[in-house]
Amino acid sequence: MRLWDRPAIVSLSQRGCALKPVNAEFKWNDSIVPLAAAIVEPEVAVKIEVENYEQLAEELQNSSPLEIMDKAFEKFGNDIAIAFSGAEDVALIEYAKLTGRPFRVFSLDTGRLNPETYRFFDAVEKHYGIHIEYMFPDAVEVQAMVRSKGLFSFYEDGHQECCRVRKVRPLRRALKGLRAWITGQRKDQSPGTRSGIPVVQVDPVFEGMDGGVGSLIKWNPMANVEGLNAWNFLGAMNVPVNSLHSQGYVSIGCEPCTRPILPGQHEREGRWWWEDAKAKECGLHKGNLKQDDLAQLNGNGNGAIHSNGAAGVADIFNSQNLVNLSSAGIGNLLRLESRKEPWIVVLYAPWCQFCQGMEKSYLELADKLAGSGVRVGKFRADGDGKEFAKQELQLGSFPTILFFPKHSSRPIKYPSEKRDVDSLMAFVNALR
């Protein structure tokens, strides 16, 4: 369209209104006659790829909690947070730290938690150097419920209403600021409600920051972990735990609704014990290397070393199920960003009495892991290899034990002084 002596009145049809104006208004210039009243550009439809989380759950079904956690952080960055209840799901925070990525943690303070739980929150914040983002129930709602029904009405008419006010609604507010969240749910926690949970899913109940169905993704990295293995992991990593656990508490919630369990009882029997055992919910939750690969690790087949020991000192950790790595071999293992199978490697000196003391348990570990998909190795880190081990392999003292995950070049150092085979197995099982 052209303009002559005077402004033209432009009539846009309904179809024309679909165009996005860039400059909807213009200024007249006495010396220049404008050639157009508006410059428009068509809107471009952007194709958004939708993640298939059912397929992703199948792909991650046999992955370790560490790998699942790392994938979650990779996808969602600062828009994902860990839901921390103050119980054994402190394992989630430990896994998060081990990924080396930044992470957020939030928790629901119902106002009725045990004193031990509050002290545990403080210990966790100090141990990890984090600030937990606390969510509180609406004071007016709590006040109205307590005034009309009393402090302990849930013993008579069930826990759902109290949990809805003190937990579900605060959680809903927290999740509206996120695109994904991480929970500590395990399949073995509850016989009636958690046996089929996937490691990742579109949240069927809550909404995320974008709003609507499918706007929030729920990650359950520990879904396939058994309770005993979770506790072995916590012990192996020397993380703080709620002191209530030593008093017989396993699953911990609010003080009036949680009690210790007896030997042989299921862990959820300590929660809402006056109700049906199948309804124990509060409303929050409705690889092998081939021979050529091995040769590459050992420096194109020329790096593998055998027992050579120092003068007068025999070498240790000798087994057919254990790989003896040279400096080139451990260097190549360190540089691999993606491995076909994980490795556990001990950095040792044959003259060290502490290394000699753990020889039996480490050889037993190698025997147990033979054929399991986890390779067991050793690297002699005294002599010429000591400086390299200090700078690149976190060597502080002998022995130092490292785990090399499949998906990351960053090795994880075993932090405990417990070197029995059960503790070492717990470390491996938690991370592989």
Side-chain angles (χ1 to χ4, degrees), residues 364-377:
E364 187 177 348
L365 177 74
D367 293 341
K368 284 190 172 186
L369 292 175
S372 70
V374 178
R375 300 305 299 267
V376 181

Side-chain angles (χ1 to χ4, degrees), residues 294 296-299 303-305 323-336 339 343-347 377-381 385 388-389 392-393 400 402 404 409 411:
L294 182 59
Q296 181 185 12
L297 284 179
N298 283 308
I305 58 175
V323 180
N324 200 2
L325 294 167
S326 67
S327 295
I330 194 75
N332 285 333
L333 181 60
L334 184 65
R335 285 190 293 271
L336 283 177
R339 306 175 187 85
W343 283 70
I344 183 168
V345 179
V346 61
L347 313 182
K378 68 174 184 176
F379 172 64
R380 182 166 177 175
F388 169 79
E392 304 293 335
L393 298 172
T400 291
L402 300 176
F404 294 81
S409 61

Side-chain angles (χ1 to χ4, degrees), residues 133-377:
E133 302 170 32
Y134 295 102
M135 298 299 296
F136 302 91
D138 182 87
V140 174
E141 284 189 292
V142 174
Q143 179 177 284
M145 179 180 65
V146 172
R147 280 184 175 179
S148 64
K149 305 187 71 173
L151 286 167
F152 301 100
S153 59
F154 40 81
Y155 289 138
E156 300 173 3
D157 57 13
H159 71 277
Q160 296 299 335
E161 181 182 12
C162 186
C163 284
R164 186 164 56 249
V165 171
R166 294 181 182 271
K167 298 177 75 172
V168 178
R169 288 175 184 164
L171 176 65
R172 195 181 301 277
R173 295 200 312 269
L175 297 179
K176 285 296 289 183
L178 301 171
R179 293 172 54 225
W181 64 309
I182 301 171
T183 84
Q185 291 187 104
R186 304 191 318 271
K187 290 179 179 178
D188 67 346
Q189 280 177 324
S190 184
T193 60
R194 301 191 179 184
S195 59
I197 58 172
V199 297
V200 59
Q201 63 187 134
V202 175
D203 196 299
V205 177
F206 297 102
E207 297 180 3
M209 65 170 64
D210 295 329
V213 178
S215 60
L216 185 70
I217 305 304
K218 187 177 187 178
W219 293 78
N220 309 299
M222 300 183 69
N224 300 316
V225 178
E226 294 182 357
L228 180 60
N229 288 333
W231 276 103
N232 286 338
F233 172 63
L234 295 178
M237 303 305 287
N238 283 333
V239 305
V241 296
N242 195 321
S243 61
L244 288 173
H245 292 305
S246 64
Q247 301 174 38
Y249 292 79
V250 180
S251 179
I252 300 173
C254 294
E255 188 278 332
C257 304
T258 308
R259 69 178 183 181
I261 61 171
L262 299 173
Q265 283 187 306
H266 190 276
E267 63 182 85
R268 297 294 275 190
E269 291 188 58
R271 302 288 295 276
W272 309 294
W273 57 90
W274 63 93
E275 297 182 10
D276 179 16
K278 292 185 178 181
K280 303 289 190 176
E281 294 291 351
C282 58
L284 302 190
H285 303 294
K286 288 240 188 267
N288 293 326
L289 282 177
K290 298 178 182 179
Q291 287 301 315
D292 53 339
D293 297 316
L294 182 59
Q296 181 185 12
L297 284 179
N298 283 308
N300 298 319
N302 298 318
I305 58 175
H306 303 281
S307 241
N308 52 15
V313 181
D315 199 14
I316 56 176
F317 302 123
N318 297 310
S319 168
Q320 61 181 5
N321 294 321
L322 195 149
V323 180
N324 200 2
L325 294 167
S326 67
S327 295
I330 194 75
N332 285 333
L333 181 60
L334 184 65
R335 285 190 293 271
L336 283 177
E337 294 183 356
S338 181
R339 306 175 187 85
K340 294 181 181 178
E341 57 191 352
W343 283 70
I344 183 168
V345 179
V346 61
L347 313 182
Y348 74 103
W351 44 262
C352 170
Q353 59 177 329
F354 301 109
C355 298
Q356 296 167 4
M358 68 165 285
E359 181 178 23
K360 181 180 178 181
S361 60
Y362 196 70
L363 294 179
E364 187 177 348
L365 177 74
D367 293 341
K368 284 190 172 186
L369 292 175
S372 70
V374 178
R375 300 305 299 267
V376 181

Side-chain angles (χ1 to χ4, degrees), residues 415-430:
S416 177
E417 293 298 318
K418 299 177 182 178
R419 302 188 183 106
D420 58 282
V421 67
D422 290 336
S423 297
L424 293 173
M425 278 296 294
F427 176 68
V428 171
N429 287 334

